[in-house]
């Protein structure tokens, strides 16, 4: 097949040439339009890339600055992405954590099983504020409050989950510190209240002691005078008895003068002893209220213990066996009356604690170590409950029934011992019973 080309100077050739130029012009115009569109698309694409890069950097900075841990998992529970907080918590970099099961972060098999159950049951709805134990990079077990949110596609297909968590150890420590501060504040408030009570009680005791001191001195002085007068009367009646007078002898027998003379010394001695003990009580009240200053003196702890035990045992209503085993010559510097008050209080408390025991016993033993005498008071009572053990030396605290204890004995004793440079402690023995340890500095033994 051949093609016929019209001559160049023919009219058909002129028309063809005109049409070719127009087509080329249109083609060039279309190319310009396409090129301009490409330029616009490229500018828009660069702007979107810049915005995307800015958004990506913003997201990365947010993830890096998060204090909570963040884990992105696929639908099989394998880690796809983590933030810097989890890397710091687990002690691994991101490459070592990716493509590993998220359950490998949990502390042990039981925690892993519990996490699988919780995530499987509530994965679609999400898990909120569920506490699990995770294994930190240093091997420690750390409680973490975790949240789990499902990742779904546009069609609603489950793609995986996003897990966030916050270690609650710091929060718990902060709460414990706050609670401790609150307890300390309450304890300080109670101590201030007790101190105010003690100040008021001290003023009251000082007034009472001052008022009692004068009549007691008056009674004691009169009883001593009465003792001298009784001796004179006895001598006089003995002289009258020599006279042989039947009427006087009959009257003497009727009035039981001989029995009165025999009982009078005992009665007067009892009155003197009672007045002296009352005077000692007033002196103790004055020392408690800080009316009198303590004058240091050489005190024999052996005599103090012996005297205190004798007084308590004599006044005890039931049988109370006390054994004493102390080293000889336990000498300390202080107030004999105040130390006797301490020992009597400890012995009396042991007597009260063992009152329901078939065989009430108290063992007092001592030893000297490094210039300190340690005197132990061990009873066979029921012991001290743990809730009361830390409050024994608080003012006004007592385990005795109402009306049988003021709660001041051990508190005053504790203060006396501290002023003497010693310590007073209490504990329970494993075999039963309570033990009080009185520690005092001694000069010789």
């Amino acid at each position: 097949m051949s093609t016929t080309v019209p001559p160049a100077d023919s009219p058909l050739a002129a028309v063809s040439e005109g049409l070719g130029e127009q087509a080329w012009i249109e083609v060039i115009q279309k190319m310009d339009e396409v090129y301009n569109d490409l330029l616009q698309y490229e500018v828009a694409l660069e702007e979107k890339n810049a915005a995307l890069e800015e958004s990506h950097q913003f997201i990365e900075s947010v993830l890096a600055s998060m204090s909570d841990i963040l884990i992105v998992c696929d639908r099989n529970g394998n880690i796809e992405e983590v933030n810097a907080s989890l890397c710091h918590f687990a002690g691994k970099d991101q490459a070592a954590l990716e493509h590993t099961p998220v359950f490998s972060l949990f502390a042990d098999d039981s925690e892993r099983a519990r996490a699988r159950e919780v995530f499987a049951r509530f994965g679609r709805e999400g898990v909120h504020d569920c506490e699990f134990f995770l294994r930190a990079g240093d091997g420690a077990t750390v409680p973490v409050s975790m949240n789990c949110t499902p990742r779904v596609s546009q069609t609603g297909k489950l793609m995986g989950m996003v897990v966030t968590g916050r270690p609650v150890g710091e929060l718990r420590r902060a709460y414990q510190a706050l609670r401790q501060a609150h307890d300390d504040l309450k304890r300080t408030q109670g101590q201030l209240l007790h101190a105010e009570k003690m100040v008021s009680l001290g003023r009251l005791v000082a007034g009472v002691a001052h008022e009692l001191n004068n009549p007691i001195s008056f009674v004691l002085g009169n009883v001593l005078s009465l003792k001298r007068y009784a001796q004179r009367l006895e001598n006089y009646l003995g002289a009258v008895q020599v006279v042989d007078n039947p009427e006087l002898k009959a009257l003497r027998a009727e009035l039981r003068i001989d029995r009165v003379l025999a009982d009078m010394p005992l009665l007067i001695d009892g009155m003197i002893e009672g007045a002296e003990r009352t005077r000692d009580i007033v002196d103790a009240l004055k020392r408690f209220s800080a009316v009198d200053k303590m004058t240091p003196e050489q005190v024999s702890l052996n005599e103090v213990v012996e005297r205190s035990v004798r007084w308590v045992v004599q006044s005890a209503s039931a049988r109370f066996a006390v054994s004493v085993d102390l080293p000889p010559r336990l000498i300390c510097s202080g107030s004999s009356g105040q130390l006797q008050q301490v020992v009597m209080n400890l012995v009396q408390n042991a007597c009260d604690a063992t009152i329901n025991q078939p065989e009430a016993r108290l063992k007092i033993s001592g030893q000297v170590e490094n210039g300190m005498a340690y005197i132990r008071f061990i009873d066979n009572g029921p012991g001290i409950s743990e809730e009361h053990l830390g409050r024994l030396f608080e003012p006004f605290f007592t385990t005795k029934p109402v009306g049988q204890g003021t709660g001041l004995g051990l508190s005053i004793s504790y203060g006396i011992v501290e002023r003497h440079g010693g310590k007073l402690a209490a504990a329970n023995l494993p075999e039963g019973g309570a033990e009080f340890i009185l520690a005092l500095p001694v000069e010789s033994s």
Side-chain angles (χ1 to χ4, degrees):
M1 181 176 180
S2 59
T3 302
T4 303
V5 179
D9 55 352
S10 64
L12 183 57
V15 172
S16 300
E17 183 177 356
L19 290 173
E21 291 178 356
Q22 184 65 33
W24 281 107
I25 291 173
E26 291 179 356
V27 169
I28 292 172
Q29 290 177 349
K30 291 294 184 182
M31 290 178 63
D32 289 339
E33 292 176 0
V34 170
Y35 181 72
N36 289 331
D37 290 341
L38 289 175
L39 289 177
Q40 292 177 2
Y41 290 153
E42 183 178 1
V43 172
L45 183 60
E46 290 179 353
E47 291 178 352
K48 291 181 179 180
N49 285 337
L52 182 61
E53 181 67 22
E54 184 178 355
S55 299
H56 183 68
Q57 292 179 356
F58 175 75
I59 293 174
E60 285 186 346
S61 64
V62 171
L63 295 178
S65 60
M66 284 180 60
S67 60
D68 294 354
I69 62 176
L70 174 67
I71 310 170
V72 180
C73 304
D74 59 17
R75 58 186 304 173
N76 296 322
N78 295 321
I79 297 176
E80 292 184 346
E81 189 173 352
V82 298
N83 66 341
S85 294
L86 179 65
C87 295
H88 177 72
F89 177 84
K92 300 178 181 178
D93 56 12
Q94 184 170 351
L97 292 171
E98 290 179 351
H99 309 299
T100 60
V102 66
F103 300 107
S104 63
L105 298 173
F106 290 82
D108 50 32
D109 293 338
S110 62
E111 285 295 302
R112 297 186 189 99
R114 190 167 70 93
R116 286 191 179 95
E117 180 184 358
V118 171
F119 289 168
R121 181 182 301 177
F122 305 104
R124 280 286 184 178
E125 295 81 8
V127 179
H128 302 285
D129 293 332
C130 189
E131 185 174 315
F132 295 97
F133 286 93
L134 272 60
R135 184 72 64 185
D138 58 358
T141 301
V142 180
V144 178
S145 177
M146 304 189 74
N147 299 299
C148 176
T149 305
R151 295 168 51 213
V152 296
S153 63
Q154 294 181 352
T155 60
K157 181 180 179 181
L158 181 64
M159 301 297 295
M161 57 184 177
V162 178
V163 181
T164 59
R166 172 175 296 179
V168 296
E170 291 293 336
L171 183 60
R172 285 183 177 177
R173 284 191 288 271
Y175 174 75
Q176 291 176 356
L178 180 62
R179 184 173 182 179
Q180 182 65 34
H182 177 67
D183 293 341
D184 293 341
L185 181 61
K186 289 178 61 178
R187 190 179 303 108
T188 303
Q189 184 181 9
Q191 291 175 351
L192 291 175
L193 179 61
H194 289 321
E196 185 64 27
K197 289 181 179 179
M198 294 294 285
V199 171
S200 301
L201 182 62
R203 296 195 186 102
L204 176 63
V205 169
V208 172
H210 179 73
E211 293 298 328
L212 288 177
N213 196 42
N214 291 333
I216 290 173
S217 300
F218 174 75
V219 170
L220 184 59
N222 289 346
V223 171
L224 292 176
S225 298
L226 182 61
K227 185 177 182 179
R228 294 193 301 269
Y229 297 161
Q231 184 63 39
R232 296 179 183 178
L233 290 175
E234 184 177 358
N235 295 336
Y236 173 75
L237 292 176
V240 172
Q241 181 68 22
V242 177
V243 179
D244 187 11
N245 189 332
E247 295 181 0
L248 290 178
K249 290 183 179 181
L251 184 61
R252 185 184 184 104
E254 180 183 353
L255 298 177
R256 299 180 181 180
I257 299 300
D258 294 333
R259 184 174 180 179
V260 171
L261 293 176
D263 290 344
M264 189 175 296
L266 299 177
L267 295 176
I268 293 177
D269 290 340
M271 294 172 62
I272 293 175
E273 181 181 359
E276 289 178 345
R277 291 184 63 179
T278 306
R279 182 185 60 189
D280 293 339
I281 293 173
V282 172
D283 290 339
L285 291 175
K286 292 170 66 177
R287 286 193 295 268
F288 168 70
S289 61
V291 173
D292 291 342
K293 299 295 183 179
M294 183 186 72
T295 303
E297 58 182 355
Q298 297 294 314
V299 180
S300 173
L301 294 179
N302 305 78
E303 295 179 1
V304 168
V305 172
E306 180 182 355
R307 188 164 53 249
S308 301
V309 170
R310 184 174 64 253
W311 284 13
V312 174
V313 171
Q314 287 179 352
S315 61
S317 58
R319 180 174 175 80
F320 182 51
V322 181
S323 62
V324 180
D325 182 16
L326 296 178
R329 290 190 51 78
L330 292 179
I331 307 298
C332 71
S333 177
S335 170
S336 176
Q338 293 188 18
L339 292 177
Q340 182 169 330
Q341 180 182 356
V342 173
V343 177
M344 284 190 63
N345 186 272
L346 296 178
V347 177
Q348 185 64 55
N349 284 346
C351 180
D352 296 338
T354 58
I355 192 171
N356 295 324
Q357 299 297 325
E359 296 182 0
R361 297 190 309 272
L362 173 64
K363 179 182 178 182
I364 303 176
S365 61
Q367 60 184 13
V368 178
E369 293 181 2
N370 300 323
M372 295 288 291
Y374 296 91
I375 304 177
R376 289 174 167 82
F377 299 79
I378 302 174
D379 62 53
N380 65 336
I384 307 167
S385 62
E386 294 297 330
E387 60 182 18
H388 296 154
L389 194 58
R391 302 185 58 193
L392 285 181
F393 303 110
E394 292 184 7
F396 303 103
F397 176 79
T398 179
T399 58
K400 297 179 181 179
V402 177
Q404 296 186 17
T406 62
L408 289 172
L410 287 177
S411 175
I412 296 174
S413 299
Y414 190 87
I416 292 174
V417 174
E418 278 198 333
R419 289 196 296 271
H420 282 75
K423 292 291 183 181
L424 183 61
N428 287 317
L429 296 177
E431 62 273 15
E435 177 186 30
F436 284 84
I437 301 177
L438 171 62
L440 290 170
V442 292
E443 299 180 358
S444 62
S445 62

